[in-house]
Amino acid sequence: MRLAIVSPCYNEQEVLRESAERLTELLRTLIQKQKISSDSYILYVNDGSKDDTWKMIKSLCSTSHHIKGISLVDNVGHQCAIMAGMMTVKKECDAVITIDCDLQDDLNAIEEMIDRYKDGNDVVYGVKISRKADSLAKRSMAVCFYKLQSHLGVKAVYNHADFRLLSNRALSYLSLYQERNLYLRGIIPFMGCKSATVNDVLSKRVGGHSKYTLKKMLTLATDGITSFSARPLHFVFGLGVFFLFITLFIFVYVLFSLSTHHIVPGWTSLMLSVWFIGSMVLLSIGIVGEYIGKIYIEVKQRPLYHIEEFLNGEESEEKGWKK
Ligand code: UDP
Ligand code: MG
């Protein structure tokens, strides 16, 4: 089995050397144990770094045949950098593992990921069982986000980031998703491949500092919800219907008050118009939202299905198809 390890790097000159040493050492051990073939490799993706990251990747490539690199023209962000790496190795591996180059994820989980792949899983997720290395604020924000996501019906794996293994077949399915607002943690479970999980104990960065600014984190969180759930739009429509019902009660109340109390002239018409127009506005926005939700799904042009096996005479082929 030929393994490719894809690792995105953005201004990571402080960690690259150690990262390369530890990952190469791991590859050698796995080759010795005959878990992976000797042509397995690590692909570093330089995501438009401003420091010496690319220079270092070039020098690492010249010292080890297990290390390769690609450099992106500009900083496109973690998700796109991983996608660039995965699409580059798609035809040159049997499976790919994506891991951040700061080595916060548990390297010991990699061997288990390979075993789960050999058991027939196309996707193996690294699930964080301990996030003590993250700050309390980050941990709390993550928990709230995962809960919100699950309430909104997004199919994502709890406490899993982008440390995962994908088989070559899963990669070919993934290549059919052409969306720009990339949220791999949603797309990959959405593909529905046979999957397993392994435990990932998060540790502190080996050097440098987090490259995920609050802005980048919020953009990712927004993508994580809006790319997979139209529920916020349905909610507006539901609110419109709810307020229309309230308007009926207000109507009865206003008529009742009209016959029993002394009422200031103009109050009746004002009350009724405020509630009626308000609910109509919400309902109209909701209807427009329902259509926008449909258009949004259409423009993504996600594949309708993936064929797992194709029996053609004596042979069995595996293929991803796009309608
Ligand atoms: N990264 C990237 N592009 C970016 C930001 C981050 O390629 O625009 C990489 C970064 O070099 C690291 C990984 O994505 O390998 C995760 O980033 P980081 O460790 O800073 O995030 P955190 O673990 O703090 O959430
Ligand atoms: Mg990190």
Side-chain angles (χ1 to χ4, degrees):
M1 167 209 174
R2 190 179 192 196
L3 176 72
I5 296 182
V6 164
S7 189
C9 318
Y10 177 56
N11 295 343
E12 297 287 12
Q13 60 184 19
E14 291 95 346
V15 302
L16 249 177
R17 202 159 300 279
E18 185 165 348
S19 162
E21 268 167 26
R22 285 174 54 187
L23 284 176
T24 320
E25 187 51 45
L26 179 79
L27 274 194
R28 289 207 184 104
T29 314
L30 292 172
I31 293 168
Q32 258 171 20
K33 286 188 179 176
Q34 298 189 334
K35 295 252 170 175
I36 56 174
S37 62
S38 58
D39 54 356
S40 298
Y41 58 96
I42 304 154
L43 178 88
Y44 282 111
V45 181
N46 173 37
D47 183 17
S49 300
K50 311 280 182 291
D51 64 1
D52 284 341
T53 299
W54 182 234
K55 226 192 248 176
M56 289 178 71
I57 294 175
K58 278 203 228 168
S59 110
L60 289 165
C61 287
S62 63
T63 54
S64 167
H65 66 279
H66 285 307
I67 299 179
K68 298 176 188 234
I70 56 168
S71 185
L72 307 180
V73 172
D74 199 2
N75 177 234
V76 292
H78 182 220
Q79 297 289 290
C80 295
I82 296 180
M83 190 66 165
M86 290 194 295
M87 290 304 113
T88 306
V89 301
K90 188 166 66 109
K91 294 205 172 94
E92 285 170 40
C93 66
D94 297 305
V96 62
I97 290 179
T98 49
I99 184 167
D100 294 347
C101 80
D102 57 5
L103 299 189
Q104 282 197 269
D105 295 300
D106 192 353
L107 291 192
N108 297 322
I110 290 185
E111 185 171 344
E112 209 188 327
M113 279 183 168
I114 295 167
D115 292 340
R116 296 291 81 76
Y117 161 78
K118 289 187 176 169
D119 292 342
N121 292 291
D122 281 308
V123 181
V124 186
Y125 300 103
V127 173
K128 295 172 195 171
I129 51 160
S130 159
R131 305 185 62 129
K132 284 193 188 126
D134 277 341
S135 67
L136 184 66
K138 193 164 180 173
R139 248 182 291 158
S140 322
M141 276 199 317
V143 170
C144 293
F145 173 64
Y146 287 125
K147 290 213 166 126
L148 180 65
Q149 245 190 351
S150 108
H151 278 301
L152 291 173
V154 183
K155 209 171 152 192
V157 180
Y158 188 77
N159 256 339
H160 157 73
D162 288 289
F163 178 38
R164 70 174 88 76
L165 176 147
L166 290 187
S167 71
N168 190 276
R169 176 168 36 194
L171 278 178
S172 73
Y173 296 157
L174 183 65
S175 66
L176 302 177
Y177 291 76
Q178 300 291 333
E179 50 206 87
R180 312 282 108 186
N181 299 301
L182 199 57
Y183 185 69
L184 292 166
R185 297 170 207 183
I187 296 178
I188 292 164
F190 181 85
M191 294 185 332
C193 298
K194 191 172 175 217
S195 66
T197 59
V198 298
N199 291 343
D200 174 21
V201 180
L202 213 63
S203 39
K204 290 237 178 282
R205 267 183 159 265
V206 293
H209 59 86
S210 174
K211 306 300 171 320
Y212 252 98
T213 55
L214 186 64
K215 187 171 164 242
K216 278 186 180 172
M217 235 152 46
L218 290 177
T219 310
L220 184 72
T222 313
D223 278 349
I225 288 168
T226 54
S227 296
F228 287 88
S229 175
R231 280 199 197 168
L233 293 174
H234 300 321
F235 176 73
V236 178
F237 183 74
L239 210 62
V241 173
F242 176 70
F243 275 100
L244 199 62
F245 268 110
I246 301 272
T247 307
L248 288 179
F249 284 108
I250 297 280
F251 182 68
V252 173
Y253 169 69
V254 166
L255 285 187
F256 177 73
S257 307
L258 204 61
S259 57
T260 56
H261 307 72
H262 173 68
I263 289 206
V264 180
W267 180 79
T268 317
S269 54
L270 200 67
M271 276 294 276
L272 285 178
S273 20
V274 165
W275 278 91
F276 184 68
I277 293 174
S279 56
M280 279 299 139
V281 167
L282 267 178
L283 208 58
S284 313
I285 295 174
I287 292 171
V288 173
E290 294 289 323
Y291 282 96
I292 291 179
K294 296 260 183 291
I295 295 167
Y296 188 50
I297 290 168
E298 292 297 335
V299 295
K300 280 182 195 291
Q301 296 222 336
R302 283 181 180 158
L304 291 181
Y305 50 82
H306 298 294
I307 296 176
E308 192 172 30
E309 269 183 71
F310 183 61
L311 295 178
N312 184 15
E314 312 108 57
E315 281 181 82
S316 130
E317 272 183 34
E318 291 158 359
K319 230 171 181 176
W321 290 71
K322 188 180 178 185
K323 198 194 164 198

